[in-house]
Amino acid sequence: MFLEAQRSGKLPFDQRVKWRGDSGLKDGALQGVDLVGGYYDAGDHVKFGLPMAFSVTMLAWGTIEYRKEITNLNQMGHTLWAIRWGTDYFIKAHTQPNVLWGQVGDGDSDHYCWERAEDMTTPRTAYKLDEAHPGSDLAGETAAALAAAAIAFKPYNSSYSELLLVHAKQLFSFADKFRGLYDDSIQCAKQFYTSSGYSDELLWVATWLFRATGDEHYLKYVVDNAVYMGGTGWAVKEFSWDNKYAGVQILLSKVLMEQKGGAYISTLKQYQAKADYFACACLQKNDGYNVHLTPGGLMYVHEWNNLQYASAASFLLAVYSDYLSAANAKLTCPDGQIQPHEVLNFAKSQADYILGKNPKSMSYLVGYGPKYPTHVHHRGASIASISVLPSMVSCVQGFEAWYRSPEADPNVIYGALVGGPDQNDGFNDDRSSYEQTEPTLAGSAPLVGLFAKLESLSGNKGPYHKRPTTEQPSQNYHHQTSVPSTKSPGVPPVRFLHSITNTWNVGKTTYYRHKVAIKNTSEKPITDLKLVLEDLSGNLWGLSSTPVKNTYELPPWLKVLNPGSDCSFVYIQEGPQAKVSVLSYQ
């Protein structure tokens, strides 16, 4: 949902975040290139290439590792669209083999204004990389995003997957052949997203291309350059949009543990030693060279927007625990051997902290739980929607009327991970405290895979899954109905199983998470199933909307519902359940 709120460009008809409208429709026009689309970075309206590409890589990696879990939660369609909103933009921005448009908008001028994306008056200057102005870090990360996305899309859209690989390979060649820091070429990015180097991105993209293609050429690259580029030399305690070493080291550990290292085993063992260093440092088992934890147990890496580092590291640890489990291996630390489930438990502790198990008893994921930040440092969330306030909100007016307002945000930006608490677990819910209240793409993106993994283990029994109160009697848990259609002759061969899987309170309002299973009870396949949902007041996942009001269809990757099989969708709202009926089918 947060990623949809960050969309730039022409929004689709099934956009779920209704307080957003079209924006940035002329991006790139002054330079004669179409750069419409992509994502706004954080609370501002700059499209910064490096964190955007890293976020897409993280989304794709989560989709690859947790495909089954995401599919079981009926989130695969939304997740693939979130990836594609980024990759379609990267393809547009890659106008020639050795040209990549890396940024739209200027951070300085953008930050002088507090206005909605739909009202933007700040310059939309576009900046590019080319042979004379290289950027190996940005081109490399964009290539990594495209390569990871190619793997994610392969089971669903093989032709698009192939297109992504073509661009990924070209961008890797460009990044490797014409070396340089992107913020030397796009200098206005320097004060916002300074790059500490590009060697990690070159190793990162080569590793992703090896995973996407199986071509040993890419594995040889990471081995031949292991020492020179620091892959086996850098022991790190951070994984982020700027520092990919831990990600490289853990991905290559998988190659080693799956016995696919061939002649490169000795070097891959050196990579894994550094992967272990990272994991041990997170788990406080690294002979004192550990990641700092707050008194409440949160990883504390940087003062500015710390939670994005905690979310990325937690995702990486969850993935590494899976790799270790699959290989029946343990994590060997200076302070002893660690079982894979202990690695996962630490990642879970960070997710629990984010969701409210912390000294403030506050969820730092906006819109989740009974208490969360309501003064988010985000222009669109803090100003009334154009559908409510159609008149333009000017640059200065935004500061005076909205930024400084003591009132809560008029728009809840669901799924935004804010910067989070300080090193003593303190948090100031104030728009001007941007280090703590600004959300970022790079913060929320790793949570998709992490939460999918943890949800699959929870069985809806974790600390944030409460049973419905007496307002919703228990018999509604498994209330089965076979609904006759008014539009098709006879009784449609479909059974609906309604259940409530979660409930929570926001103030005095109780919200319910409804799950509806759709089962084909006939002996024939059902295609083109269209459903009508009445009394739906909340958000829905797992179905595709149609231009017809209240009418939905199965997602595009689920064209046929075979005999005896079922699928499900989920919606969240207060009050009673929606009424589901069959409009038509074939």
Side-chain angles (χ1 to χ4, degrees):
M1 294 292 282
F2 172 65
L3 289 157
E4 288 193 19
Q6 295 301 100
R7 283 173 170 173
S8 181
K10 179 76 176 172
L11 301 182
F13 74 88
D14 59 353
Q15 168 85 5
R16 293 176 295 167
V17 181
K18 301 300 183 186
W19 50 266
R20 278 296 324 281
D22 299 341
S23 63
L25 298 180
K26 295 181 180 177
D27 281 2
L30 289 174
Q31 287 80 17
V33 60
D34 176 10
L35 296 175
V36 176
Y39 288 108
Y40 299 123
D41 175 60
D44 53 17
H45 297 131
V46 183
K47 296 193 294 200
F48 287 109
L50 189 56
M52 191 198 306
F54 174 73
S55 302
V56 172
T57 309
M58 288 296 95
L59 281 172
W61 195 358
T63 306
I64 295 162
E65 299 295 344
Y66 303 119
R67 189 171 115 198
K68 181 183 175 184
E69 291 83 351
I70 292 172
T71 302
N72 287 345
L73 292 164
N74 288 303
Q75 294 295 304
M76 186 55 78
H78 293 307
T79 309
L80 291 175
W81 268 117
I83 296 168
R84 187 159 185 167
W85 199 266
T87 53
D88 280 354
Y89 173 75
F90 297 149
I91 289 171
K92 281 183 175 183
H94 184 214
T95 50
Q96 296 174 40
N98 293 340
V99 175
L100 176 67
W101 293 85
Q103 183 174 318
V104 179
D106 170 65
D108 285 330
S109 60
D110 182 273
H111 287 194
Y112 286 130
C113 286
W114 195 262
E115 58 191 355
R116 298 172 295 197
E118 298 83 0
D119 293 336
M120 263 192 292
T121 56
T122 50
R124 301 298 291 167
T125 311
Y127 304 87
K128 71 176 177 178
L129 304 174
D130 57 27
E131 294 174 10
H133 308 89
S136 302
D137 30 25
L138 174 50
E141 183 59 67
T142 307
L146 293 165
I151 305 170
F153 269 98
K154 193 169 186 178
Y156 306 101
N157 189 333
S158 58
S159 60
Y160 187 63
S161 175
E162 288 297 322
L163 177 65
L164 294 172
L165 267 182
V166 168
H167 285 275
K169 290 174 181 178
Q170 287 183 355
L171 277 169
F172 172 51
S173 296
F174 170 48
D176 190 36
K177 187 175 181 181
F178 301 94
R179 295 188 183 181
L181 291 169
Y182 93 99
D183 53 1
D184 285 341
S185 298
I186 305 176
Q187 294 198 1
C188 59
K190 198 179 282 285
Q191 71 180 95
F192 300 98
Y193 287 99
T194 307
S195 175
S196 59
Y198 54 75
S199 292
D200 53 332
E201 277 87 8
L202 290 175
L203 294 172
W204 177 239
V205 57
T207 304
W208 275 112
L209 280 167
F210 173 66
R211 186 158 178 180
T213 65
D215 186 341
E216 196 175 297
H217 161 75
Y218 297 110
L219 185 59
K220 187 175 186 299
Y221 182 95
V222 299
V223 169
D224 289 349
N225 291 287
V227 176
Y228 167 62
M229 292 184 176
T232 54
W234 280 105
V236 297
K237 296 186 285 186
E238 170 191 319
F239 176 57
S240 68
W241 57 266
D242 178 45
N243 192 328
K244 318 296 156 52
Y245 279 117
V248 172
Q249 290 153 358
I250 282 172
L251 279 172
L252 293 175
S253 297
K254 174 182 169 71
V255 176
L256 176 68
M257 289 188 287
E258 289 181 345
Q259 299 181 334
K260 295 178 180 176
Y264 308 122
I265 288 175
S266 61
T267 304
L268 292 178
K269 283 182 177 177
Q270 294 174 54
Y271 272 108
Q272 184 170 25
K274 296 301 187 287
D276 290 349
Y277 179 99
F278 172 81
C280 296
C282 292
L283 270 72
Q284 311 296 293
K285 301 287 186 182
N286 206 39
D287 195 25
Y289 294 94
N290 297 317
V291 175
H292 179 70
L293 298 184
T294 68
L298 175 69
M299 294 176 70
Y300 192 79
V301 181
H302 284 290
E303 179 183 2
W304 193 312
N305 207 292
N306 177 64
L307 280 183
Q308 67 177 331
Y309 301 97
S311 72
S314 300
F315 169 80
L316 198 56
L317 290 170
V319 168
Y320 198 31
S321 75
D322 284 345
Y323 293 171
L324 290 165
S325 294
N328 199 24
K330 296 174 184 175
L331 173 65
T332 302
C333 295
D335 299 346
Q337 283 200 323
I338 310 295
Q339 296 290 343
H341 74 265
E342 295 178 76
V343 180
L344 182 61
N345 284 344
F346 179 81
K348 181 179 181 294
S349 76
Q350 301 302 292
D352 288 345
Y353 187 108
I354 287 169
L355 295 176
K357 194 175 181 180
N358 56 60
K360 289 280 187 185
S361 296
M362 170 179 268
S363 162
Y364 293 108
L365 194 73
V366 177
Y368 184 85
K371 180 183 176 186
Y372 53 81
T374 57
H375 299 76
V376 182
H377 185 89
H378 188 281
R379 290 155 174 73
S382 69
I383 304 174
S385 169
I386 56 167
S387 61
V388 175
L389 182 67
S391 57
M392 181 174 172
V393 176
S394 67
C395 186
V396 177
Q397 180 192 0
F399 277 112
E400 293 174 348
W402 299 99
Y403 179 77
R404 298 189 179 96
S405 170
E407 300 296 318
D409 296 331
N411 307 306
V412 179
I413 185 160
Y414 288 98
L417 181 70
V418 297
D422 61 24
Q423 61 184 334
N424 297 310
D425 301 299
F427 182 77
N428 185 17
D429 186 11
D430 188 316
R431 274 181 213 104
S432 62
S433 299
Y434 47 83
E435 299 96 332
Q436 294 194 321
T437 60
E438 186 170 22
T440 61
L441 292 175
S444 289
L447 294 179
V448 174
L450 176 65
F451 287 167
K453 170 65 177 178
L454 295 175
E455 169 68 12
S456 72
L457 302 175
S458 71
N460 288 338
K461 293 175 183 173
Y464 307 104
H465 293 283
K466 300 173 186 172
R467 286 301 192 189
T469 64
T470 52
E471 296 173 35
Q472 196 77 12
S474 59
Q475 61 261 32
N476 279 350
Y477 261 62
H478 297 289
H479 175 59
Q480 295 190 25
T481 51
S482 290
V483 186
S485 168
T486 55
K487 305 291 172 104
S488 298
V491 177
V494 171
R495 172 171 289 176
F496 299 114
L497 177 66
H498 294 260
S499 59
I500 296 170
T501 58
N502 196 6
T503 181
W504 62 92
N505 295 311
V506 179
K508 295 181 179 179
T509 306
T510 301
Y511 290 91
Y512 300 98
R513 183 182 188 268
H514 297 266
K515 180 177 179 180
V516 182
I518 311 167
K519 182 163 185 175
N520 179 358
T521 57
S522 74
E523 297 179 359
K524 295 182 178 179
I526 294 176
T527 59
D528 201 23
L529 178 66
K530 288 189 170 53
L531 304 176
V532 175
L533 269 70
E534 300 173 76
D535 303 329
L536 178 68
S537 60
N539 294 311
L540 177 144
W541 299 270
L543 295 177
S544 298
S545 57
T546 71
V548 180
K549 185 179 179 183
N550 299 337
T551 303
Y552 298 83
E553 58 190 7
L554 298 183
W557 64 88
L558 186 63
K559 299 188 186 309
V560 180
L561 195 60
N562 288 314
S565 67
D566 57 56
C567 63
S568 58
F569 64 92
V570 173
Y571 61 94
I572 294 172
Q573 64 185 29
E574 56 181 301
Q577 64 190 31
K579 295 185 181 71
V580 185
S581 58
V582 176
L583 176 68
S584 61
Y585 64 94
Q586 291 182 359

